[in-house]
Amino acid sequence: MNLDAAKAALSHLDLDVNPASIKAKSRDFFWYSPVLKARLDHVTADFVVTPRTEAEVIEVLKVCHAHDVPVTTRGTGTGNYGQAMPLAGGCVMHLHKMNRIKDIQPGRVIVEPGALLKDIDEACAPHQELRMYSSTWATATIGGFVAGGSGGVGSVRWGGLRDLGNIIRLRVVTMEAEPRVLDFTGEEIHRISHAYGTNGIITELEMPLAPAYDWVQIFVTLDDFAAANRMAYDLAAEDGILIKLATVFEAPIAQDYFQRVAPHVGTGQAVVALMVAPHAMGGFLTFLARHPAQIIYRSDSTKWDREPGQIFEYCWNHTTLRAMKVDTSITYLQVGYGSDDPLPLVEEVRARFSPEVLQHVEVTRSGGRVAMGGLSLVKFTTEDRLDEIIRQHEEMGALIFNPHRYTLEEGGRQTVDLRQLEFKREADPKGLLNPGKMIAWDDPDWAYDRMYAWPGLRKAAE
Amino acid sequence: MNLDAAKAALSHLDLDVNPASIKAKSRDFFWYSPVLKARLDHVTADFVVTPRTEAEVIEVLKVCHAHDVPVTTRGTGTGNYGQAMPLAGGCVMHLHKMNRIKDIQPGRVIVEPGALLKDIDEACAPHQELRMYSSTWATATIGGFVAGGSGGVGSVRWGGLRDLGNIIRLRVVTMEAEPRVLDFTGEEIHRISHAYGTNGIITELEMPLAPAYDWVQIFVTLDDFAAANRMAYDLAAEDGILIKLATVFEAPIAQDYFQRVAPHVGTGQAVVALMVAPHAMGGFLTFLARHPAQIIYRSDSTKWDREPGQIFEYCWNHTTLRAMKVDTSITYLQVGYGSDDPLPLVEEVRARFSPEVLQHVEVTRSGGRVAMGGLSLVKFTTEDRLDEIIRQHEEMGALIFNPHRYTLEEGGRQTVDLRQLEFKREADPKGLLNPGKMIAWDDPDWAYDRMYAWPGLRKAAE
């Protein structure tokens, strides 16, 4: 790694060599996990470059390739799996200023990776908006969402980013002596989506759009968690009632962690957060009247002294963030309960672990069916106990997407994605892109019997 | 029934007393069924009135109530269950000139019942369109669709008209000494939707809208019917691929009955008709490449010497219409295969009856899952054989919505809809609205052991 030569060659670009700001720009939201916090807190890049065009991205990749400098690419760093942590130091390439919204057509938008989800939605208004976004909508980039996310608000209608049709096209630059620019559609998209920038850098995205509505944001309470889950599941199964979000919180999540909501929720009550299209409110209210549920807030008519703000900022991983602000010992797990009949499994998991683990359930769609996933709140004690909780989840039949691991495989299904690996061989022959994040590249025979510790990770005292 | 007094009282309205045109205006598409044809061919009203405003509707109902004249209401008469046949004569009230499109907002439209589905869609363009419509889109009215239909093109995305959220509001006029005007929302909607105008007259509808796209219309061939069904089912389960129609035709439906399509289809091949959003074509083509399917037509690029026209006019009950034009002995059945795992049942039914019954399957959604319904083509021989075919369907676990019956109950689930019955008691105390169509009103103890024959049906020689 010849850092000085690389920096010199890139000095005409927007280059940051100030140690304090490099440190700040080298961190994402990995600290949601005490496990990652213990291992990655010292991680920092050697310099940060902020390209503004695809040509500049190509230049960065070419120069760093020539001088064997690792490149870790990031948007605004809102990921929770350490996706954007530069484990080996080197270059952090920050894409947030490559943020043009290039074209908006019926059903589709073409953007650069650094465009904020919020800015895209505002540009597509009033008729259209993104199909789905993370709860970090206000601050996250589309490139980061596609390279490091899996779904979010809107997945109750459209499924996840991995589902066919939810990404139309990705334009990718390789890290070779002469970087190539490739347009990926169809099956090729999944070489590069959710690959943490380990095998190519996304410089343009074509994303499908949904119709935009002035979504009514709603909080509902029910006395019983199982009834709340049932209601949310059945609502998502109503094909004629258009919703964008359905989230269920076991007590006392709202009572303890949602300061502005708590005064309106009774002891022991479960809370459901919803986004409903205005023209679906009639059907929704008819549906709700069949359930033992009370609306405590709807954004089109309720007036609280202290407004709750955007309701989706209580959901997905904002739930964890709010809990951590109150109780620093809280962390979380990402759980898949499946789509066949998830309710009994959710209840079984809750019964075994509550209150050490509190159920926060996101309703989604998968394979044409209503599915449920958890971003369960976990009262962290030790890594061993966390691993034991995970083991018991798996034993009960739940899938764990472990957010206490920084590799693609361990944060996913613990299986190698051959499409990603094969494309990395082609696009990043020196293995310089976001090193340490793909076990299949570094240690193909890894057995997943314990947490993977990448040998190339810089030592804290280095 | 004092016809002369009623006609005199209504003479300042658009009144038709010419026997030939009354006869023409007294018929719907009941003749799809040889059973209904044999029983209802002679049915005709005594006069036809065509109101243009709600006030005129009220006047018609009030006058006819005073003079004990039955009123059968119709749109353009494209129903197939004899919904609009005036069994007892009297007045046919034709609403096709009450066709204003009153207001279009994001997600909703307010219309009068006589507005054509096509005219509503054109008025809502370019951003919005109706969620669903019958294959008679070009000629059918929204009032007729809601009062006599169950779903159609778009139901693969939105479910059926009976699903919550697919009708927002219905405004209804009762037939009493002093007719009342009522606005129904929520649970009340289903008092009056799909009630054939037996318990009130719809004078205004508020319907939800979907985003409008320039749908790509596609024909696909597969060598195997079961594979075609599988493909259509799985496509509808792709939450990220936006489609509006998925229809499967067993061979030789397309070969024998679709003249412009037939030259492009091989012997024995199954055909699938699809409408796919333009921005979903990438995802769709990726999906399709995983199946043993060939695209023979797509409206955005294929050029046939003889264009097929609107693809949905091959689907739903246009399939039957096309078959009948070639073979007058064809009729059909409306079959529900369910949403749990419909494919084996479809195959079992096909294996037992083909080619006497040919499978035409519509993919829909029901309760949040992909469902399949059949508008199967039946080579008609005798009523006894038709009844036996129906009996065997039911024995195999399929639901039959019998289109060879003119009552609400027999064309539905053979059960009394108490909401409809109770509202009829309130809104039509003399039983003058579309008489003979609701068994529960006329013969509450009917056992459904044979076809119901309403005693009040006018004799042919009368």
Side-chain angles (χ1 to χ4, degrees):
Chain A
M1 163 154 59
N2 189 338
L3 284 167
D4 290 339
K7 284 193 278 192
L10 297 172
S11 61
H12 61 292
L13 300 183
D14 181 346
L15 197 70
D16 188 344
V17 294
N18 175 295
S21 67
I22 291 172
K23 172 91 181 171
K25 292 175 186 170
S26 296
R27 298 164 73 81
D28 63 15
F29 285 7
F30 73 104
W31 45 265
Y32 275 42
S33 161
V35 179
L36 298 185
K37 172 98 168 137
R39 285 161 180 76
L40 306 184
D41 204 36
H42 66 286
V43 162
T44 185
D46 295 297
F47 65 90
V48 175
V49 63
T50 305
R52 286 163 195 267
T53 64
E54 184 180 85
E56 292 187 359
V57 170
I58 292 170
E59 194 175 353
V60 170
L61 294 174
K62 183 172 175 165
V63 165
C64 289
H65 179 273
H67 299 294
D68 298 316
V69 176
V71 175
T72 298
T73 306
R74 58 177 276 153
T76 44
T78 56
N80 304 113
Y81 285 74
Q83 293 102 317
M85 300 296 289
L87 303 189
C91 169
V92 157
M93 184 162 65
H94 208 318
L95 292 187
H96 70 296
K97 291 199 173 162
M98 196 171 157
N99 60 359
R100 283 188 303 155
I101 294 164
K102 292 175 155 183
D103 191 27
I104 300 169
Q105 295 293 332
R108 63 180 90 208
V109 63
I110 298 176
V111 294
E112 288 185 335
L116 299 187
L117 300 168
K118 178 176 190 281
D119 290 341
I120 297 169
D121 271 3
E122 287 174 359
C124 294
H127 293 296
Q128 301 194 95
E129 64 187 25
L130 290 167
R131 283 182 172 180
M132 64 190 76
Y133 51 73
S134 53
S135 64
T136 48
W137 174 79
T139 57
T141 66
I142 184 75
F145 183 48
V146 166
S150 57
V153 185
S155 288
V156 70
R157 185 75 185 166
W158 296 102
L161 282 169
R162 74 173 63 235
D163 287 316
L164 286 175
N166 285 332
I167 302 169
I168 296 175
R169 183 176 55 83
L170 296 177
R171 188 171 165 93
V172 178
V173 177
T174 65
M175 191 171 186
E176 302 172 87
E178 293 298 333
R180 288 172 294 154
V181 181
L182 305 166
D183 272 301
F184 285 165
T185 58
E187 304 284 4
E188 294 172 331
I189 286 170
H190 299 289
R191 294 178 177 176
I192 193 81
S193 68
H194 199 78
Y196 295 178
T198 56
N199 58 5
I201 304 307
I202 298 168
T203 54
E204 185 176 286
L205 306 92
E206 186 168 345
M207 299 295 287
L209 296 174
Y213 298 107
D214 188 11
W215 301 95
V216 183
Q217 306 185 46
I218 299 167
F219 281 121
V220 167
T221 56
L222 298 94
D223 290 340
D224 179 60
F225 174 73
N229 257 329
R230 177 87 257 166
M231 186 276 278
Y233 182 94
D234 288 350
L235 176 61
E238 288 284 346
D239 301 299
I241 301 179
L242 182 60
I243 65 173
K244 184 160 180 155
L245 177 73
T247 311
V248 185
F249 305 105
E250 179 184 1
I253 292 175
Q255 290 87 339
D256 286 356
Y257 306 131
F258 300 169
Q259 289 180 19
R260 297 187 176 197
V261 183
H264 309 278
V265 182
T267 305
Q269 285 190 317
V271 173
V272 181
L274 300 166
M275 289 170 70
V276 179
H279 59 285
M281 283 300 291
F284 166 68
L285 294 173
T286 307
F287 167 87
L288 200 70
R290 299 174 183 172
H291 289 259
Q294 297 292 325
I295 293 178
I296 58 168
Y297 178 82
R298 47 185 284 187
S299 58
D300 60 348
S301 57
T302 307
K303 185 72 193 156
W304 281 352
D305 286 344
R306 300 177 70 209
E307 291 291 328
Q310 296 276 22
I311 216 156
F312 62 79
E313 292 181 348
Y314 292 82
C315 303
W316 289 86
N317 229 354
H318 263 68
T319 312
T320 312
L321 183 63
R322 288 181 187 268
M324 291 171 74
K325 282 185 181 169
V326 176
D327 179 350
T328 54
S329 75
I330 296 282
T331 186
Y332 77 113
L333 282 179
Q334 194 138 4
V335 188
Y337 297 109
S339 61
D340 205 28
D341 182 14
L343 299 170
L345 181 55
V346 176
E347 187 50 36
E348 187 187 340
V349 171
R350 192 205 64 77
R352 183 173 307 185
F353 290 117
S354 185
E356 183 182 12
V357 179
L358 290 177
Q359 292 298 310
H360 153 210
V361 175
E362 293 291 344
V363 186
T364 61
R365 279 195 167 264
S366 177
R369 294 191 172 190
V370 179
M372 288 180 141
L375 285 91
S376 312
L377 299 181
V378 180
K379 184 93 178 167
F380 180 74
T381 49
T382 67
E383 291 192 10
D384 282 349
R385 176 59 188 163
L386 185 60
D387 287 344
E388 173 61 17
I389 291 170
I390 289 171
R391 195 192 61 72
Q392 289 192 33
H393 271 79
E394 291 172 340
E395 189 181 87
M396 285 186 272
L399 272 175
I400 295 287
F401 306 93
N402 192 344
H404 306 284
R405 300 293 183 266
Y406 55 75
T407 62
L408 283 162
E409 291 90 345
E410 293 168 302
R413 290 166 188 265
Q414 304 210 348
T415 55
V416 173
D417 187 325
L418 281 176
R419 298 172 299 187
Q420 292 183 349
L421 176 62
E422 282 164 12
F423 184 61
K424 185 171 174 73
R425 290 195 181 117
E426 196 182 311
D428 179 28
K430 286 188 174 178
L432 292 168
L433 284 173
N434 206 356
K437 303 295 173 64
M438 190 191 284
I439 297 179
W441 177 266
D442 293 305
D443 192 345
D445 298 322
W446 181 253
Y448 300 101
D449 54 340
R450 61 186 189 282
M451 181 175 178
Y452 181 73
W454 184 51
L457 179 69
R458 271 199 190 170
K459 301 288 182 296
E462 189 180 14
Chain B
M1 164 156 58
N2 189 339
L3 284 167
D4 290 338
K7 283 193 277 190
L10 297 172
S11 60
H12 60 293
L13 300 183
D14 181 346
L15 197 70
D16 189 343
V17 294
N18 174 295
S21 67
I22 291 172
K23 171 92 181 169
K25 292 175 186 170
S26 296
R27 298 163 72 82
D28 62 16
F29 286 6
F30 74 104
W31 45 265
Y32 276 41
S33 160
V35 178
L36 298 185
K37 173 99 169 134
R39 284 161 180 76
L40 306 184
D41 204 35
H42 66 285
V43 162
T44 185
D46 295 297
F47 65 91
V48 175
V49 62
T50 305
R52 286 163 196 264
T53 64
E54 185 181 86
E56 291 187 359
V57 169
I58 292 170
E59 193 175 354
V60 170
L61 294 174
K62 184 173 175 165
V63 164
C64 289
H65 179 273
H67 299 293
D68 298 316
V69 175
V71 175
T72 298
T73 306
R74 57 177 277 153
T76 44
T78 56
N80 304 114
Y81 285 74
Q83 292 101 315
M85 300 295 288
L87 303 188
C91 170
V92 156
M93 183 162 65
H94 208 319
L95 292 187
H96 71 297
K97 291 199 173 162
M98 196 172 156
N99 60 0
R100 283 189 302 155
I101 294 164
K102 293 175 155 183
D103 191 27
I104 300 169
Q105 295 294 331
R108 63 180 89 209
V109 63
I110 298 176
V111 293
E112 290 185 334
L116 299 187
L117 300 168
K118 178 175 191 279
D119 289 342
I120 297 170
D121 271 2
E122 287 174 359
C124 294
H127 293 297
Q128 302 193 94
E129 63 186 26
L130 290 167
R131 283 182 172 179
M132 65 190 75
Y133 51 73
S134 53
S135 65
T136 47
W137 174 80
T139 57
T141 66
I142 184 75
F145 183 48
V146 165
S150 57
V153 184
S155 288
V156 70
R157 186 75 184 167
W158 297 101
L161 283 169
R162 74 173 62 235
D163 287 315
L164 287 175
N166 285 332
I167 301 169
I168 296 176
R169 183 176 56 84
L170 296 177
R171 189 171 165 93
V172 178
V173 178
T174 65
M175 192 172 187
E176 302 172 87
E178 292 298 333
R180 288 173 294 155
V181 181
L182 305 166
D183 271 303
F184 284 165
T185 58
E187 303 285 4
E188 294 172 331
I189 286 171
H190 299 289
R191 293 177 177 177
I192 192 82
S193 68
H194 200 79
Y196 296 178
T198 56
N199 57 5
I201 303 308
I202 298 169
T203 54
E204 185 177 284
L205 306 93
E206 187 168 343
M207 300 294 289
L209 296 174
Y213 298 107
D214 189 11
W215 301 95
V216 183
Q217 306 186 46
I218 299 167
F219 281 120
V220 167
T221 56
L222 298 92
D223 290 340
D224 179 59
F225 174 72
N229 258 328
R230 177 87 256 166
M231 186 277 277
Y233 182 95
D234 288 350
L235 176 61
E238 288 285 346
D239 300 299
I241 301 178
L242 183 59
I243 65 173
K244 183 160 180 154
L245 176 74
T247 311
V248 186
F249 306 104
E250 180 184 2
I253 292 175
Q255 291 88 337
D256 286 357
Y257 306 130
F258 300 169
Q259 289 181 19
R260 297 185 177 199
V261 182
H264 308 278
V265 182
T267 306
Q269 285 190 318
V271 173
V272 181
L274 301 165
M275 290 170 70
V276 179
H279 59 284
M281 283 300 290
F284 166 68
L285 294 173
T286 307
F287 167 88
L288 200 71
R290 299 175 182 171
H291 289 259
Q294 297 292 324
I295 293 178
I296 58 168
Y297 178 83
R298 48 185 284 189
S299 58
D300 59 348
S301 57
T302 307
K303 186 71 194 159
W304 281 351
D305 286 345
R306 301 178 69 209
E307 291 291 329
Q310 297 275 23
I311 216 156
F312 63 78
E313 292 181 347
Y314 292 82
C315 303
W316 290 85
N317 230 356
H318 263 67
T319 312
T320 313
L321 183 63
R322 287 181 188 269
M324 290 172 75
K325 282 185 180 168
V326 176
D327 179 349
T328 55
S329 75
I330 296 282
T331 186
Y332 78 112
L333 282 179
Q334 193 137 2
V335 188
Y337 296 110
S339 60
D340 205 28
D341 182 14
L343 298 171
L345 181 55
V346 176
E347 186 50 35
E348 187 186 340
V349 170
R350 192 205 64 76
R352 183 172 306 184
F353 290 117
S354 186
E356 183 183 12
V357 179
L358 290 177
Q359 292 298 309
H360 154 209
V361 175
E362 293 291 344
V363 186
T364 62
R365 277 194 167 264
S366 178
R369 294 192 172 189
V370 179
M372 288 181 141
L375 285 89
S376 312
L377 299 181
V378 179
K379 184 93 178 165
F380 181 74
T381 48
T382 66
E383 291 192 10
D384 282 348
R385 176 60 188 161
L386 185 61
D387 287 344
E388 172 62 19
I389 290 170
I390 289 170
R391 197 192 60 72
Q392 289 192 33
H393 271 79
E394 291 173 339
E395 189 182 87
M396 285 187 271
L399 273 175
I400 295 287
F401 305 92
N402 193 344
H404 306 284
R405 301 293 184 266
Y406 55 76
T407 62
L408 283 162
E409 291 89 345
E410 293 168 301
R413 291 167 187 264
Q414 305 209 349
T415 55
V416 174
D417 187 326
L418 281 176
R419 299 173 297 189
Q420 292 182 348
L421 175 62
E422 283 164 11
F423 185 60
K424 186 171 174 73
R425 290 194 181 119
E426 197 182 309
D428 179 27
K430 287 189 174 178
L432 292 168
L433 284 173
N434 207 354
K437 303 296 172 62
M438 190 191 284
I439 297 179
W441 177 267
D442 293 304
D443 191 347
D445 298 322
W446 180 253
Y448 300 102
D449 54 340
R450 61 186 190 281
M451 181 173 177
Y452 181 73
W454 185 50
L457 178 68
R458 272 199 192 172
K459 301 289 181 297
E462 188 179 15

